[in-house]
Amino acid sequence: MAKSDLIVIRRFSNEGEAQIVKSLLESGGFECYLTNEYTSQVWPTGLFACGLCVKADEAERANEFLEAQPTD
């Protein structure tokens, strides 16, 4: 898969939150990746937000999946 096939669907100021949402998407069968996960740990000021990426053709479905999850 080429990098251009990926799209950032969420940004997080901390890597821990990004990992939780990534795991949730993976449990729903989505292939996803994090960007800046290590940089966001070194500079946790939000300057380098951690991005959650999915395949461009699955972005809409991934967003719908996340919105359908309980928030409690």
Side-chain angles (χ1 to χ4, degrees):
M1 172 178 10
K3 262 187 165 178
S4 61
D5 295 339
L6 299 175
I7 186 168
V8 176
I9 60 167
R10 296 278 196 289
R11 294 192 188 277
F12 300 89
S13 59
N14 91 37
E15 189 255 343
E17 290 177 20
Q19 287 288 355
I20 291 169
V21 177
K22 179 179 183 273
S23 294
L24 182 62
L25 278 174
E26 289 173 336
S27 74
F30 293 92
E31 189 173 344
C32 47
Y33 305 91
L34 296 178
T35 62
N36 294 332
E37 64 185 301
Y38 302 114
T39 308
S40 66
Q41 291 176 26
V42 176
W43 284 317
T45 61
L47 184 62
F48 294 98
C50 188
L52 177 62
C53 302
V54 297
K55 294 177 183 177
D57 60 346
E58 292 185 343
E60 185 176 346
R61 198 167 61 87
N63 277 316
E64 289 170 357
F65 176 82
L66 290 175
E67 290 171 10
Q69 300 306 306
T71 57
D72 297 12

